[in-house]
Amino acid sequence: MKLALTMLALSILSTTASAAALPEPQAAGLTRQLQAIVSDPAMPLASLSVVAIRHGEIVYAQQLGSKRLATATAPAQPADANTMYRIASVSKFVTALGTMKMVEQGRLSLDADISDYLGYRLRNPHFPDRPITLRMLLTHTSSLRDEGGFKWAPDVNLKDVLVPGGRFYGKGDMWSSTQAPGTYFEYVNFNWGIIATVMERAGGERFDRLMRRLVFDPMRLKAGFYLADFAPANVNDVATLYRKREKDGNEVWDPNGPWIAQADDFGNEAPAGPAGLDRYVIGTNGSIFGPQGSLRISANELAQIMLMLMNGGRDKHTQVLKPETVDLMFSRQWTLGGAGNEGNGDSDYFHGLYHAWGLGNQHFIDVSEVKNGRASGDRLVEGGGFTGVGHLGWSWGLNALFVFDRQAKNGMIYVSSGVGANPELQPGKFSSEARFQEHITDALYRGAIMAR
């Protein structure tokens, strides 16, 4: 089975970068190492898809485990090169590509008051004289918070969520009462629902269709934010997300219990759009398409996006973004100052993960330290040595990383569809990530990128 998986990986590589592929013994050794990670009884993974890029060429691609686990009525379905995942917050990074395309086209401005696009005055009521800009949304410095929610039904106009007096405004928990727009970093999902809404207002199309036209179709990618509305779409290619944790109720972890489907369980039911989508008014609530976390795409197609960005915005089909747009997207916008007045970077949940940020992308600057007896930082490989730009993702058991070094053109992608234990109880040794995530990146770095 392991040999078959290795040969599958090499057959994928033969169509894209056969001259650069790892020698078979090295590829087989890396596959064995990754299989041991997937099968680790302390943290079993439902599936794992990986791609490694060295000097601008794919050198290794592999899929392990099952995109759909066995049930009483159906056998397990192995993950393969076509397997698509709901890639959680890596979706934000891809959304930013569409946003930057519209900036490049002159339809959006990074520093304009987004009120000009939304059609109503949007202000943090605690700081009424401070406009909010697209740049602030993309860099998590908007002063918005997720405490008031970040995804709303199609019949909800975000104006009624964001503006005092609106029927969904509640206590105004979506606004920071202490930090003004543009002054403080805090990672927020809700920013992306507003970005999608701004895109719709400027583009005159639904967000999911805008992304298809701006990014996916030019690159001929089988990817989308609304599974029922992009083609070619084979629902059987979409991985179910799992955890050994209850989906509802007390949400108790049970590492010795069964895998429990959390999302995209299309083996039991067909995908469906949100109720009321047929009555949705474009430009009122882009959050319904999940710009912050609901993109479905394969690891191999994420690799095509990475190669495009490595090559100055050009892929094998077209110039997707201008080189200067790519440079702007990855320009440093925020760096943790350490005094607490430039963003916390160390919330209870993220454990000091964020130290620098671009326009819709994290800058991994190789920080590793110990805080409160726990490893902290954005380091990607043991001992350090790899810096890059990209994004992490985790939700409903999904764990993903998309990161690359622009200068060296080295990159790593992994996507796992499920975890069998609580990652919080298995912290990393040199970063804010869980130990199994460190194992994956370290294996890819040493086994593919640094291999000779």
Side-chain angles (χ1 to χ4, degrees):
M1 179 64 175
K2 293 176 183 176
L3 178 59
L5 288 168
T6 302
M7 295 307 294
L8 173 60
L10 293 177
S11 69
I12 295 166
L13 292 168
S14 68
T15 65
T16 57
S18 58
L22 289 179
E24 195 281 332
Q26 289 182 347
L30 178 53
T31 299
R32 287 192 295 271
Q33 189 175 0
L34 292 170
Q35 181 62 66
I37 295 170
V38 171
S39 304
D40 183 356
M43 178 58 81
L45 305 179
S47 74
L48 178 65
S49 291
V50 301
V51 180
I53 295 174
R54 184 173 65 197
H55 304 322
E57 297 185 276
I58 296 174
V59 296
Y60 180 81
Q62 184 61 280
Q63 307 85 35
L64 300 162
S66 300
K67 63 184 177 184
R68 198 155 294 119
L69 298 172
T71 66
T73 58
Q77 298 181 39
D80 58 34
N82 295 316
T83 298
M84 295 185 290
Y85 298 86
R86 181 178 174 179
I87 59 167
S89 288
V90 179
S91 305
K92 296 181 176 73
F93 179 92
V94 180
T95 293
L97 297 178
T99 309
M100 295 306 295
K101 184 65 179 181
M102 295 184 73
V103 170
E104 176 182 290
Q105 294 171 337
R107 292 195 286 173
L108 290 175
S109 168
L110 290 173
D111 297 310
D113 183 344
I114 61 169
S115 303
D116 298 340
Y117 300 110
L118 293 173
Y120 54 88
R121 189 174 188 270
L122 182 65
R123 293 288 188 273
N124 180 330
H126 306 286
F127 304 94
D129 298 327
R130 299 290 290 267
I132 296 169
T133 68
L134 194 57
R135 188 186 301 271
M136 294 174 189
L137 295 170
L138 288 165
T139 58
H140 296 286
T141 60
S142 68
S143 80
L144 280 161
R145 300 293 181 260
D146 281 336
E147 282 77 1
F150 59 85
K151 190 172 183 180
W152 302 83
D155 61 346
V156 175
N157 188 322
L158 290 186
K159 179 180 180 181
D160 291 329
V161 176
L162 292 163
V163 178
R167 60 191 180 113
F168 298 105
Y169 185 78
K171 297 179 180 179
D173 291 337
M174 71 291 299
W175 293 114
S176 171
S177 62
T178 59
Q179 305 297 335
T183 65
Y184 192 84
F185 176 97
E186 183 162 336
Y187 188 95
V188 175
N189 289 286
F190 196 14
N191 288 331
W192 259 255
I194 299 172
I195 289 170
T197 306
V198 168
M199 291 173 66
E200 288 189 347
R201 292 283 295 187
E205 293 180 79
R206 272 177 24 185
F207 166 76
D208 60 320
R209 294 173 180 173
L210 263 174
M211 286 298 299
R212 191 172 65 192
R213 183 169 57 78
L214 294 170
V215 179
F216 305 139
D217 285 355
M219 294 188 67
R220 302 180 188 177
L221 299 178
K222 185 179 68 174
F225 283 88
Y226 176 38
L227 194 60
D229 195 49
F230 74 91
N234 183 348
V235 172
N236 195 50
D237 285 337
V238 180
T240 299
L241 304 188
Y242 297 94
R243 293 185 298 193
K244 290 194 174 186
R245 171 178 169 172
E246 297 175 18
K247 183 177 179 182
D248 300 304
N250 295 325
E251 296 201 359
V252 176
W253 287 93
D254 183 3
N256 298 315
W259 289 99
I260 300 173
Q262 308 289 315
D264 286 1
D265 189 15
F266 299 140
N268 291 320
E269 57 183 1
L277 183 61
D278 58 331
R279 299 186 299 278
Y280 173 63
V281 178
I282 291 171
T284 59
N285 177 10
S287 77
I288 63 174
F289 300 106
Q292 80 289 339
S294 294
L295 174 64
R296 277 79 167 191
I297 191 171
S298 70
N300 289 312
E301 294 198 310
L302 282 173
Q304 297 309 308
I305 291 176
M306 184 176 287
L307 290 170
M308 177 270 290
L309 293 167
M310 286 180 173
N311 293 317
R314 183 170 187 82
D315 84 329
K316 55 183 174 287
H317 303 298
T318 187
Q319 190 76 38
V320 181
L321 293 169
K322 294 177 181 178
E324 53 267 34
T325 303
V326 177
D327 289 341
L328 176 60
M329 179 175 175
F330 292 119
S331 62
R332 183 73 58 84
Q333 302 291 312
W334 169 83
T335 303
L336 180 65
N341 58 358
E342 296 179 5
N344 56 19
D346 191 21
S347 71
D348 290 340
Y349 188 73
F350 295 113
H351 306 298
L353 175 62
Y354 301 130
H355 287 260
W357 208 263
L359 292 169
N361 54 91
Q362 183 176 353
H363 290 197
F364 295 83
I365 60 175
D366 205 16
V367 173
S368 180
E369 51 195 353
V370 176
K371 289 187 175 182
N372 300 319
R374 175 179 173 142
S376 171
D378 63 0
R379 178 160 288 176
L380 293 166
V381 297
E382 189 164 7
F386 188 98
T387 59
V389 293
H391 218 288
L392 287 155
W394 60 86
S395 180
W396 297 110
L398 184 288
N399 287 270
L401 170 69
F402 177 106
V403 64
F404 67 101
D405 179 333
R406 293 188 68 202
Q407 283 67 47
K409 294 188 176 182
N410 295 329
M412 297 182 285
I413 296 167
Y414 74 74
V415 190
S416 170
S417 66
V419 289
N422 185 352
E424 286 290 305
L425 300 182
Q426 298 189 29
K429 291 186 176 181
F430 56 81
S431 75
S432 301
E433 292 282 81
R435 187 62 179 145
F436 81 95
Q437 295 168 306
E438 293 181 341
H439 283 316
I440 295 169
T441 53
D442 215 51
L444 288 174
Y445 178 69
R446 302 186 192 285
I449 293 175
M450 297 302 292
R452 294 290 183 267

